[in-house]
Amino acid sequence: MLWLGIDTSDKNLFVCLYRDNECLALTCYEAWQRQSEYLVEDVEKVFASAKVKKTDLQAVIAAKGPGSYTGVRIGLTVAKTLSFALKLPLFLVSSLEILQQYPKPSICLSNARSKRSYFGVYEGGKVLVEDCIKTNDEVRAYIAEHPEYVLCGDIAYLGYDSSAYLPAENFYRCLDDAHRCNEPLSASPVYLKDDYGTTNMKTIVRKSIPSDISRILEIEEACFVPPYDEKTLLYELTGNPFSHVYSALVDGEVVGYIDFMITFNSATINRIAVKEEFRRKGVGNLLLGQVIKDCEAEKDEEVEYLTLEVRASNEKAIRFYKKHKFQDVTVKKGYYDDGEDAIYMTRCLIHG
Amino acid sequence: MAKILAIESSCDETAVAITDDGKLLANVVATQIAVHEKFGGVMPEIASRLHLENITVCLQQALDESKIRLEDLDAIAVTRGPGLIGCLHVGLQAAKTLAMVYDKPLIPVHHLAGHIYANEYIGTLKFPLLCVVVSGGNTELVYMKGHMDFEIIGQTKDDAVGECFDKVARVLGLPYPGGLPIDQHAKLGKHTYNLPHPNAGDGKYDFSYSGLKTAVINLANSLKMKGEAINVDDMARSFQDVAIGMVVDNAMKAAKDYHVVQIVLAGGVSANSYLREQMKRRVEGTGIDLVVPPLWCTTDNAAMIAKVAEHLYERKYFAPLSLGVDPNWKIDEQLTLLK
């Protein structure tokens, strides 16, 4: 069988043309961020150098991730389109699986950035640990516990020697029913949803949407006296033209949010809250960062300062604001309904 | 003429079209709008993912509809820019792969040139012409002495007009995108609010929208402080009069100075009914021909990319397989890319 293999899931650009297990042509080099330009040209070159007609091709196999999102998409778009254009079977393999040193037990790794790794363990035809994301510390611990396993991949980023990169043999082994894609038209990569550990969770901040409301109200109940009711919150989200409301999400769950208003040259923080179990993990910093971002993006008028009121008894919050360069300006006596004083704090945004 | 397959994936529509001697045989558009609505705007990573999921499905559908085989095509065209980089990559790889497999020429097309040439589906372009490109990302006056010859003679100094519609819609509590709701409310209102005509500065035909946007926001603010309600219909009307008025005034001024015989509207904001009406009124009696695109051409599609590609095919304007995307490609570089 004449087959073409493609891997662009990390910084390499790998293309090979094989007849069964005999290599007819192969190209492999580092092409970080240039794969979009070179890949198709290289596929053409591989056919030319093997003196094989493209229409004689019988199968396409490609790495489907995890890896660089853009890189994986480039390789998979080409593989899918080839399979579509020539009506060929499409085989998809894990980008980690093709790194293994068959048949030894292999810890396959690639750099997921932010001190994390894509991690999978393979032995022979078997998967010992499914592909996942681990922090580099967790990876090192796993390696220490399994000294007999071979380390595979471009792992200089972890301080280990990188192994040889030979995906073709693994590709050949994977031309089986288990790896065949049943719906090549709708084939898509494995992006690997982040496995958010507690030490290195990935937080997304985005504009709040009405379906966040029930979660935000839960946080309100836990953090504020009196809490916003649903009507007030909905108005802040959809009715009040000056308010900006953002949610912080971890693994798809709303764990914090901020509500602020930009009016003329100042911005006022009405609410900022993070769920108890997600505090002290940088979520608040991200939310506050969003205020600054929006203030800087305001083109109509330069936003000069941020203001807020905080309960005099809320020492943790006051420390948080002070850490973020807020200064207390004055005490507003009996500001809250229950008679408690508010500390009025401001932060200057101009002049550094 | 030729059989051309075109791919467009610059933003949130995956589109494939096939034309034969200029006749549109298939025009497939897989829109992602419902997905992005949830986020209140286009999320680039999600858009890129959806393009990859949709691309070969769209290609298959276009082949089925047109009953054309890939082998029979004469060229593959693709949007090379401007647009979202991750999205452009998907269309480009698919186009390059098809071109490579069947040894077909590859034609790189500018997205806005597509919007301009979409008008060829309903009329003939006559030169010299002035093109008014108005959308969420662009506000440009493009002068054309002949086919594929683009010269930008006026552009916005700050916000695009479509962007300004969206912001004002938000202040008035209208949904996103703001174009259609403002258009509809304006029809019910009167021009009662006094808004400034912003000065765009040096450029003779340049635009400025940030001042107008600020004026609306400040006015809304001060009414709110006084406890007065904003009349949404009247505000929409007052705003639209000024915003569209600036487009119409600049376009007419440039049309006169450049002695054009035709004015062509293009881009998402060309769907605005007041713009269409005003332009029709203003060209009356001037001898200038006005081409208004059909509504399907004001949104992204690949049919318009195929239209540009027909002209480039005749010029044998073919790119090598090492072609890359350019998210910031300028329209006046459409023909200079391969020189």
Side-chain angles (χ1 to χ4, degrees), chain A residues 10-14 27-35 38 154 165:
Chain A
D10 201 359
K11 54 191 173 194
N12 289 320
L13 195 167
F14 177 90
T27 174
C28 177
Y29 55 97
E30 257 195 53
W32 182 240
Q33 298 198 328
R34 306 300 293 270
Q35 293 153 329
Y38 303 149
D154 186 1
Y165 169 67

Side-chain angles (χ1 to χ4, degrees), chain B residues 157-209:
Chain B
K157 291 292 170 205
D158 36 61
D159 296 352
V161 57
E163 204 180 335
C164 189
F165 267 78
D166 291 341
K167 291 265 174 67
V168 168
R170 206 177 137 205
V171 172
L172 298 181
L174 301 174
Y176 172 94
L180 191 59
I182 288 187
D183 199 0
Q184 285 166 342
H185 279 277
K187 281 185 187 151
L188 308 170
K190 291 195 217 46
H191 191 146
T192 54
Y193 292 104
N194 191 17
L195 296 167
H197 286 68
N199 181 2
D202 315 337
K204 224 173 156 187
Y205 314 108
D206 285 343
F207 302 89
S208 165
Y209 281 100

Side-chain angles (χ1 to χ4, degrees), chain B residues 125-147:
Chain B
L125 299 186
K126 292 179 216 145
F127 303 99
L129 74 72
L130 179 76
C131 187
V132 183
V133 185
V134 277
S135 71
N138 296 82
T139 311
E140 282 171 11
L141 294 181
V142 178
Y143 172 66
M144 295 177 71
K145 266 183 282 199
H147 278 299

Side-chain angles (χ1 to χ4, degrees), chain B residues 10-334:
Chain B
S10 62
C11 188
D12 59 356
E13 324 269 5
T14 317
V16 177
I18 295 177
T19 57
D20 184 4
D21 279 348
K23 198 168 151 254
L24 190 57
L25 298 185
N27 185 25
V28 178
V29 181
T31 178
Q32 308 177 356
I33 284 178
V35 179
H36 296 295
E37 235 166 27
K38 275 198 305 204
F39 302 100
V42 178
M43 307 289 275
E45 172 62 22
I46 292 170
S48 306
R49 290 180 181 194
L50 292 172
H51 282 304
L52 174 50
E53 266 175 49
N54 291 336
I55 185 74
T56 43
V57 177
C58 292
L59 284 168
Q60 183 65 61
Q61 203 184 330
L63 292 184
D64 291 347
E65 282 177 19
S66 65
K67 303 197 168 53
I68 289 218
R69 297 181 313 159
L70 287 169
E71 299 90 309
D72 302 333
L73 291 168
D74 292 296
I76 312 291
V78 65
T79 304
R80 174 186 180 258
L84 298 169
I85 185 163
C87 298
L88 291 166
H89 276 319
V90 174
L92 181 80
Q93 296 308 316
K96 291 207 295 187
T97 305
L98 293 178
M100 184 262 304
V101 170
Y102 292 106
D103 292 313
K104 306 294 181 191
L106 176 69
I107 303 178
V109 176
H110 191 281
H111 179 77
L112 290 180
H115 274 299
I116 295 173
Y117 273 82
N119 287 291
E120 283 201 333
Y121 282 105
I122 51 151
T124 314
L125 299 186
K126 292 179 216 145
F127 303 99
L129 74 72
L130 179 76
C131 187
V132 183
V133 185
V134 277
S135 71
N138 296 82
T139 311
E140 282 171 11
L141 294 181
V142 178
Y143 172 66
M144 295 177 71
K145 266 183 282 199
H147 278 299
M148 295 296 128
D149 180 357
F150 306 98
E151 185 191 342
I152 300 169
I153 58 170
Q155 57 193 321
T156 178
K157 291 292 170 205
D158 36 61
D159 296 352
V161 57
E163 204 180 335
C164 189
F165 267 78
D166 291 341
K167 291 265 174 67
V168 168
R170 206 177 137 205
V171 172
L172 298 181
L174 301 174
Y176 172 94
L180 191 59
I182 288 187
D183 199 0
Q184 285 166 342
H185 279 277
K187 281 185 187 151
L188 308 170
K190 291 195 217 46
H191 191 146
T192 54
Y193 292 104
N194 191 17
L195 296 167
H197 286 68
N199 181 2
D202 315 337
K204 224 173 156 187
Y205 314 108
D206 285 343
F207 302 89
S208 165
Y209 281 100
S210 113
L212 176 61
K213 183 187 69 187
T214 312
V216 175
I217 292 173
N218 287 347
L219 187 54
N221 253 338
S222 70
L223 287 173
K224 200 181 161 201
M225 280 178 189
K226 282 190 252 168
E228 289 176 32
I230 301 170
N231 183 320
V232 174
D233 295 341
D234 289 350
M235 184 66 92
R237 174 63 187 268
S238 310
F239 161 74
Q240 184 169 272
D241 278 358
V242 178
I244 296 296
M246 191 158 25
V247 174
V248 175
D249 287 347
N250 275 2
M252 293 312 297
K253 194 160 59 176
K256 233 168 251 158
D257 293 351
Y258 280 79
H259 306 290
V260 302
V261 298
Q262 191 176 57
I263 297 177
V264 167
L265 303 186
V269 180
S270 66
N272 183 280
S273 68
Y274 183 69
L275 173 65
R276 291 169 170 235
E277 228 172 78
Q278 284 299 304
M279 287 302 297
K280 272 182 205 148
R281 203 173 61 77
R282 292 283 290 273
V283 297
E284 246 170 57
T286 59
I288 299 174
D289 181 34
L290 176 71
V291 183
V292 177
L295 285 178
W296 70 267
C297 283
T298 61
T299 52
D300 291 349
N301 61 77
M304 64 186 199
I305 303 303
K307 215 21 123 182
V308 178
E310 286 164 13
H311 291 272
L312 295 171
Y313 181 81
E314 285 185 357
R315 291 162 187 250
K316 297 201 182 340
Y317 189 78
F318 304 147
L321 288 177
S322 57
L323 181 72
V325 300
D326 184 349
N328 303 311
W329 202 19
K330 299 277 177 282
I331 194 168
D332 47 11
E333 291 164 6
Q334 165 74 71

Side-chain angles (χ1 to χ4, degrees), chain A residues 34-195:
Chain A
R34 306 300 293 270
Q35 293 153 329
S36 171
E37 286 156 58
Y38 303 149
L39 176 57
V40 174
E41 198 180 33
D42 284 344
V43 172
E44 165 115 317
K45 282 181 189 163
V46 164
F47 278 103
S49 85
K51 297 194 173 60
V52 169
K53 278 200 302 198
K54 291 162 217 161
T55 44
D56 289 343
L57 192 64
Q58 289 167 297
V60 183
I61 184 162
K64 64 176 176 183
S68 140
Y69 290 170
T70 301
V72 169
R73 263 198 294 273
I74 286 168
L76 206 51
T77 308
V78 172
K80 263 180 91 161
T81 311
L82 270 171
S83 144
F84 158 78
L86 294 166
K87 297 185 179 62
L88 304 177
L90 175 67
F91 297 83
L92 297 178
V93 198
S94 150
S95 303
L96 297 172
E97 187 173 0
I98 56 167
L99 300 174
Q100 69 175 311
Q101 284 182 35
Y102 188 89
K104 296 177 198 162
S106 307
I107 302 175
C108 303
L109 294 160
S110 73
N111 192 350
R113 313 291 182 293
S114 315
K115 294 183 188 159
R116 298 179 305 166
S117 296
Y118 294 117
F119 175 97
V121 184
Y122 294 86
E123 181 178 15
K126 289 199 307 279
V127 183
L128 298 189
V129 179
E130 294 271 355
D131 293 356
C132 59
I133 291 191
K134 281 189 185 298
T135 67
N136 291 346
D137 289 340
E138 288 166 344
V139 170
R140 286 195 187 90
Y142 186 93
I143 291 170
E145 284 166 26
H146 300 85
E148 72 282 16
Y149 287 13
V150 195
L151 298 186
C152 306
D154 186 1
I155 44 181
Y157 73 97
L158 286 170
Y160 300 105
D161 290 336
S162 294
S163 68
Y165 169 67
L166 300 163
E169 290 167 26
N170 286 314
F171 270 148
Y172 178 60
R173 250 190 307 276
C174 293
L175 291 165
D176 56 15
D177 284 345
H179 292 88
R180 182 164 175 169
C181 181
N182 293 322
E183 297 283 345
L185 282 187
S186 48
S188 60
V190 170
Y191 295 105
L192 214 59
K193 200 176 169 201
D194 289 6
D195 169 10

